[in-house]
Amino acid sequence: MLWLLTLALLLPAFAASYKDPAGLKQEEGLVARHYAPLGLAEVVLECPAPKGVSVVEWRVNRTAGPIWEASVREDGSLALWNASLAQEAEYSCHDPRTGQVLRRVYLKLGRPPGKPSIWCSASSYGGAVSCTWKLETETHLDTSFITTVRHGMGMEEQECLRASSGADSCTIADVSLFSVVPYIFNVTAVNPLGTRSGLFPFLINQIIRPDPPEDLKVSAIPGVSRKLRLDWKPPSSWLFLEYFPLKYVIRYSRDGTNSSKMTRSSEQSSFVLTGIHPGATYHVQVAAKDYLDNGEYSAWSSAASGTAWIPG
């Protein structure tokens, strides 16, 4: 219960922000970048018409002519209707007398980021924690991510290290094995239309997921026609096996069938399958989990196959 109380106190420090403006301009002299949400009923592009000019001319990608689903207002601004990706373009307004460019507007349409979906896991006690994230809805805009982690009250946020700026995963090192205070991983998605944050609180034992067992072998047992021997090794990434043992389950199927069977969990890294059909080939996989049932089972190992001994 202590960690639940701590989490409740920490969450306000990670409060998510969200902006949904009708449009956002970034101006540089006569050039402006205009960002607007997809589906907006009307996007208005402004034109600073000089004194004495009552009418302006708008062009799309520097080409004069009618503009699809748009109208020019009395003040010289251009109104685009039902914003869609097809309307992304360079728009420019001109003095119709001289053709002089009064402003260029680069229109980009998209969506503010939604709340990121986040997963964190550790392949071993004492190892690093890996966190990944994704946005469920495409934004159609360049979206960056800020990733931080905090542990306990009064502790500073630290960056979660990414292999590159565009990576969708990061690594948290030096995670305490026996902490009762949760770590809180934060991902904030940022693009020109807004920001949105997602949180993932965890204790290390809750997110343990070993890598798959390795070097699985399926062997016939000489003189025994209805059994197969299985041997494998624990995942090499699993640390401190003597203190944190693993348990294993086996999935196997007979060649030519669509169904599979599973064994009960066992701490041993070998097993004898019984009830085997003589001469039939069996395909076998093994998965591992923390012996105390913390976290999740690993993915299935690579499959190995074998055939029971056949009397000569």
Side-chain angles (χ1 to χ4, degrees):
M1 295 301 295
L2 175 61
W3 78 271
L4 289 173
L5 175 61
T6 305
L7 177 59
L9 294 172
L10 283 173
L11 286 178
F14 288 94
S17 61
Y18 177 66
K19 300 176 183 177
D20 188 14
L24 177 67
K25 292 185 292 184
Q26 297 178 0
E27 298 191 26
E28 299 175 5
L30 296 179
V31 178
R33 295 185 181 276
H34 191 103
Y35 296 89
L38 280 166
L40 198 65
E42 186 177 75
V43 176
V44 178
L45 307 181
E46 298 175 355
C47 179
K51 290 183 179 180
V53 177
S54 58
V55 178
V56 298
E57 177 190 10
W58 280 91
R59 301 177 185 177
V60 180
N61 295 328
R62 309 191 183 190
T63 301
I67 299 176
W68 178 60
E69 290 202 19
S71 65
V72 180
R73 293 179 165 181
E74 290 184 1
D75 62 0
S77 60
L78 180 69
L80 301 169
W81 312 317
N82 304 319
S84 70
L85 291 175
Q87 293 169 308
E88 281 192 340
E90 173 195 310
Y91 294 83
S92 55
C93 64
H94 300 253
D95 184 332
R97 301 169 303 180
T98 63
Q100 177 188 359
V101 176
L102 303 175
R103 172 168 289 178
R104 295 190 190 281
V105 182
Y106 295 91
L107 177 63
K108 288 288 293 180
L109 296 161
R111 299 184 181 93
K115 184 178 179 180
S117 297
I118 305 171
W119 302 266
C120 292
S121 65
S123 60
S124 176
Y125 291 102
V129 172
S130 176
C131 293
T132 62
W133 58 89
K134 72 173 182 178
L135 297 179
E136 299 296 337
T137 303
E138 173 62 56
T139 66
H140 300 285
L141 296 172
D142 288 338
T143 302
S144 60
F145 297 91
I146 301 169
T147 55
T148 59
V149 63
R150 176 179 289 179
H151 182 218
M153 295 294 293
M155 301 298 290
E156 293 184 359
E157 287 184 2
Q158 297 189 9
E159 183 181 3
C160 184
L161 298 178
R162 285 189 278 172
S164 65
S165 59
D168 60 358
S169 64
C170 66
T171 301
I172 306 169
D174 302 321
V175 177
S176 175
L177 281 180
F178 304 108
S179 174
V180 295
V181 177
Y183 289 82
I184 302 178
F185 175 63
N186 175 65
V187 178
T188 299
V190 181
N191 73 20
L193 292 181
T195 66
R196 191 72 184 271
S197 293
L199 304 177
F200 189 96
F202 66 87
L203 298 172
I204 188 66
N205 65 302
Q206 297 173 331
I207 60 168
I208 283 291
R209 191 187 189 209
D211 288 327
E214 301 171 1
D215 200 21
L216 172 62
K217 291 183 173 60
V218 181
S219 307
I221 302 175
V224 181
S225 61
R226 296 185 64 83
K227 295 182 180 180
L228 282 169
R229 179 178 175 84
L230 314 180
D231 296 277
W232 62 87
K233 295 178 181 178
S236 55
S237 58
W238 187 261
L239 307 175
F240 314 118
L241 185 63
E242 63 274 27
Y243 301 111
F244 301 104
L246 292 168
K247 62 180 179 180
Y248 305 93
V249 292
I250 298 161
R251 180 171 71 178
Y252 63 101
S253 62
R254 181 158 51 95
D255 194 36
T257 64
N258 295 323
S259 61
S260 62
K261 297 181 179 180
M262 289 181 59
T263 66
R264 293 183 179 180
S265 62
S266 169
E267 188 180 348
Q268 303 303 315
S269 58
S270 62
F271 192 82
V272 174
L273 284 179
T274 59
I276 297 301
H277 289 249
T281 298
Y282 283 79
H283 309 291
V284 181
Q285 292 174 290
V286 184
K289 190 178 185 181
D290 172 49
Y291 186 74
L292 295 179
D293 219 29
N294 291 320
E296 299 180 20
Y297 269 102
S298 71
W300 291 104
S301 69
S302 298
S305 303
T307 303
W309 176 81
I310 302 174

